[in-house]
Amino acid sequence: MMSTEEREIVAALPKNSAMLLVLAGANKGARFLINGEKTSIGRDPQSEIFLDDVTVSRKHAEVRKDGENYVIVDLGSLNGTYLNSQMSARERLVVGDEVQIGKYRLTYFSGKGNS
C-alpha cells in the first residue's frame, strides 16, 4: 500500500522517467529514480541501485531504456531476477510490475500518468 507522499511522488514523475519503489519488506520506503539509458542494480557499491545483501549479485541486473519503455535485464546473476514472480532474463516493465532481486521487492512506476 502506497502512502500519500509516495502517491504524490509517483504522480509527479516526469514523462521520460520511471521509479522503482520498495513498498514492503527489506528497505521499505526506498525510492530509486530511473531516468537514463541504463541503470545498474547490484551489490557493487558503484551500482546506481545499490542493494546490500548476499542474495544480490555484484552486477545483478540493469534497467534499460528501449524507445518509450524500460526493460529489466538480468546480467547472469546467481539467484536470478524475477518479474511478477516469474524468472526473467529480459522483460519490458509495465506500471505496477513487481521486480524481485534477492530479498528485495521493488514496484515499477513510470512518468506516464500513474494516478
Side-chain angles (χ1 to χ4, degrees):
M1 188 60 120
M2 289 174 55
S3 69
T4 301
E5 177 187 8
E6 290 166 337
R7 279 194 295 277
E8 290 171 358
I9 290 167
V10 166
L13 280 172
K15 185 174 189 261
N16 292 318
S17 67
M19 180 175 284
L20 287 171
L21 181 61
V22 182
L23 297 178
N27 270 16
K28 182 179 179 188
R31 301 183 297 256
F32 303 101
L33 183 63
I34 300 165
N35 60 4
E37 291 297 312
K38 186 168 40 172
T39 303
S40 60
I41 305 171
R43 195 167 32 95
D44 183 334
Q46 301 298 317
S47 298
E48 284 126 323
I49 299 177
F50 174 56
L51 301 176
D52 191 17
D53 188 79
V54 296
T55 61
V56 179
S57 295
R58 288 195 181 281
K59 295 183 187 306
H60 197 103
E62 289 178 341
V63 176
R64 297 179 185 163
K65 185 94 168 132
D66 185 16
E68 293 286 312
N69 301 300
Y70 284 98
V71 295
I72 185 83
V73 180
D74 185 82
L75 298 177
S77 65
L78 184 62
N79 291 325
T81 299
Y82 291 79
L83 184 63
N84 301 321
S85 302
Q86 300 291 315
M87 189 177 278
S88 177
R90 184 181 198 282
E91 197 71 43
R92 184 172 74 87
L93 293 167
V94 176
V95 172
D97 278 348
E98 183 185 76
V99 176
Q100 183 177 348
I101 295 176
K103 69 177 186 178
Y104 298 92
R105 294 175 182 262
L106 308 105
T107 303
Y108 175 79
F109 296 94
S110 70
K112 294 181 182 176
N114 300 302
S115 52

